[in-house]
Amino acid sequence: MGRAKKVVLAYSGGVDTSVCIPYLKEEWGVEEVITLAADLGQGDELEPIRKKALKSGAAQSLVADATERFIQDYAFPAIQANALYENRYPLSTALARPLIAKLLVEAAEEYGADAVAHGCTGKGNDQVRFDVSIAALNPNLKVLAPAREWGMSREETIAYGEQFGIPSPVKKSSPYSIDRNLLGRSIEAGPLEDPWNEPLEEVFLLTEAIANTPDQPKYVEISFEQGLPVALNGQTLSPVNLISQLNDLAGKHGVGRIDMIENRLVGIKSREIYEAPALLVLIQAHRDLESLTLTADVTHYKRGIEETYSQLVYNGLWYSPLKAALDAFVQQTQVQVSGTVRIKLFKGTALTVGRKSVNSLYTPDLATYGSDDKFDHKAAEGFIYVWGLPTRVWSQKVKG
Ligand code: ARG
């Protein structure tokens, strides 16, 4: 008896997920492996990948075009939540996992599979995100993770695959481990494992080196409706087009690089390089528009929600009751967040230099230092008397 009869396997076309196909069948007694490759705007050609799965022994090879869903249902809510893990990483990889999990579960239900599988190893965050998301969506499905158990080295994996006609990688494989989708790229391993090593220019693809960026700044106006990005420079764009155009604009000016040591859920510190030009600029612009349209108390309270939200997404709890409750809070706050933010892209920086909204709470009459000032200065005295009362009582007692 095998571990499962029919399995839907998340498939990328790489050696590891390809080797999963014969491994599941030969070692774990799976009768039928159906592969699923998700297009999340990573720029790979899907047709060769689809064929490769069949050559590697898949009974069926599915391709899901999910870029629109990815941006609309996963990236945009995260922008509304200003989601940055450890205040820096905009979760470009993490956001893709709950969607891939959903695609796997949908396919398993459609094709009557009793398990789903993925090629993650046991050291990363992604295995957690897949396993927990799948369990949340359909607790009756088994989750198989062959690469977590097989204990083969890179060379052994390649040799195992060769027995089943899986070609070893043609190019001398890159020392880096790279994940990519429309939101950005995550790069780790190789020389980056030494936190003191500066990343070589070769790791970057979406962002220009400062030395090659234009000598003139570029202004970009980003418009939001209820917290969702809808237009660039006055032109209404679909979510996918908006992200890809802004990736190009910001990347050309060297905006969007991150180099950080982050804390993985499994307890390991890891060195990560990210490129996420559009996503970072959008979060910044969105936050600026919120500062114009939300009251002080909502703004401040939301910061705590954002922190928790980012941790939940990073830690694989996209489909959880707490995440759903936080979503409801965030949605409620976004009703007034409509308007336009002007950003200046120049030499690796994105500066917010203007913002406007029909819902602006900024009140010139109150803020001005000019003669048309409407603020009641005398009222400040009484306010400070009451506000400072506990401090004066304490000071009198201790120091008086
Ligand atoms: N550390 C990031 C995360 O957990 C990215 C991991 C992506 N994988 C990679 N091969 N770089 O979301």
Side-chain angles (χ1 to χ4, degrees):
M1 252 297 282
R3 299 202 191 189
K5 271 185 136 88
K6 201 192 241 192
V7 173
V8 179
L9 167 70
Y11 188 68
S12 69
V15 176
D16 288 311
T17 52
S18 296
V19 167
C20 283
I21 302 170
Y23 194 91
L24 284 167
K25 298 200 300 187
E26 303 296 323
E27 318 298 327
W28 288 4
V30 171
E31 288 167 21
E32 198 178 325
V33 176
I34 299 172
T35 55
L36 185 142
D39 186 354
L40 302 181
Q42 62 270 48
D44 289 339
E45 266 198 73
L46 272 293
E47 188 47 28
I49 292 178
R50 197 187 69 77
K51 290 209 180 101
K52 187 171 180 191
L54 294 172
K55 269 200 232 125
S56 309
Q60 284 191 71
S61 180
L62 311 173
V63 168
D65 176 3
T67 314
E68 221 177 287
R69 249 173 119 177
F70 179 43
I71 303 304
Q72 188 96 45
D73 299 347
Y74 296 82
F76 276 15
I79 291 168
Q80 291 179 307
N82 301 321
L84 294 172
Y85 180 66
E86 296 185 335
N87 246 326
R88 301 173 78 186
Y89 164 43
L91 298 163
S92 35
T93 289
L95 288 164
R97 303 312 181 212
L99 171 56
I100 296 170
K102 188 167 222 170
L103 296 170
L104 291 171
V105 170
E106 285 170 359
E109 288 168 353
E110 185 180 338
Y111 290 87
D114 53 336
V116 297
H118 58 73
C120 298
T121 65
K123 282 175 77 171
N125 295 312
D126 287 331
Q127 51 164 348
V128 183
R129 297 171 184 148
F130 281 129
D131 289 18
V132 176
S133 297
I134 292 158
L137 293 168
N138 186 338
N140 299 317
L141 282 171
K142 282 180 239 166
V143 186
L144 307 181
R148 196 157 56 196
E149 294 184 38
W150 66 34
M152 293 189 280
S153 68
R154 181 85 187 154
E155 293 70 35
E156 288 163 349
T157 308
I158 292 170
Y160 184 94
E162 276 173 343
Q163 296 173 49
F164 297 94
I166 295 165
S168 58
V170 256
K171 296 180 295 195
K172 188 184 167 319
S173 61
S174 133
Y176 304 107
S177 159
I178 299 169
D179 179 67
R180 172 158 194 194
N181 60 51
L182 186 66
L183 294 179
R185 294 172 71 245
S186 307
I187 308 113
E188 59 188 329
L192 299 170
E193 283 176 3
D194 180 346
W196 186 248
N197 280 348
E198 181 176 351
L200 298 172
E201 208 44 52
E202 65 182 20
V203 310
F204 299 105
L205 213 68
L206 308 175
T207 54
E208 226 24 278
I210 303 297
N212 302 330
T213 58
D215 290 323
Q216 292 304 315
K218 169 89 186 165
Y219 289 88
V220 52
E221 293 187 6
I222 305 168
S223 302
F224 293 83
E225 298 265 358
Q226 306 208 325
L228 299 173
V230 292
L232 283 188
N233 295 324
Q235 195 194 354
T236 303
L237 293 171
S238 72
V240 170
N241 286 337
L242 192 144
I243 297 275
S244 51
Q245 288 191 21
L246 189 54
N247 270 337
D248 291 346
L249 280 172
K252 209 173 136 206
H253 287 267
V255 167
R257 294 185 179 184
I258 300 164
D259 177 344
M260 68 188 280
I261 304 293
E262 79 187 29
N263 292 291
R264 285 190 197 160
L265 179 59
V266 292
I268 301 170
K269 281 194 189 293
S270 72
R271 165 76 168 300
E272 298 279 349
I273 306 296
Y274 297 107
E275 299 186 280
L279 189 53
L280 283 168
V281 170
L282 287 171
I283 291 171
Q284 179 186 324
H286 176 261
R287 182 170 273 167
D288 259 281
L289 190 58
E290 285 190 336
S291 66
L292 193 66
T293 54
L294 300 184
T295 57
D297 56 356
V298 172
T299 305
H300 297 163
Y301 196 84
K302 188 168 179 280
R303 291 305 289 259
I305 299 286
E306 292 169 2
E307 169 93 36
T308 309
Y309 182 101
S310 308
Q311 285 167 6
L312 290 181
V313 174
Y314 188 86
N315 292 337
L317 297 174
W318 182 272
Y319 306 109
S320 68
L322 180 54
K323 162 74 168 37
L326 299 189
D327 277 333
F329 174 88
V330 172
Q331 286 316 305
Q332 176 66 34
T333 63
Q334 296 301 293
V335 181
Q336 298 290 100
V337 187
S338 302
T340 298
V341 176
R342 187 153 45 104
I343 303 266
K344 182 182 184 174
L345 304 167
F346 189 52
K347 298 288 174 199
T349 62
L351 282 182
T352 302
V353 294
R355 63 291 271 165
K356 61 180 179 185
S357 167
V358 287
N359 303 322
S360 173
L361 300 177
Y362 179 84
T363 317
D365 283 357
L366 292 175
T368 183
Y369 290 100
S371 57
D372 40 359
D373 181 8
K374 296 276 183 325
F375 185 77
D376 180 354
H377 288 243
K378 280 207 300 300
E381 204 180 313
F383 165 74
I384 295 165
Y385 173 78
V386 175
W387 172 250
L389 193 55
T391 306
R392 283 201 309 282
V393 168
W394 161 80
S395 178
Q396 191 60 44
K397 189 90 199 159
V398 174
K399 308 194 171 159

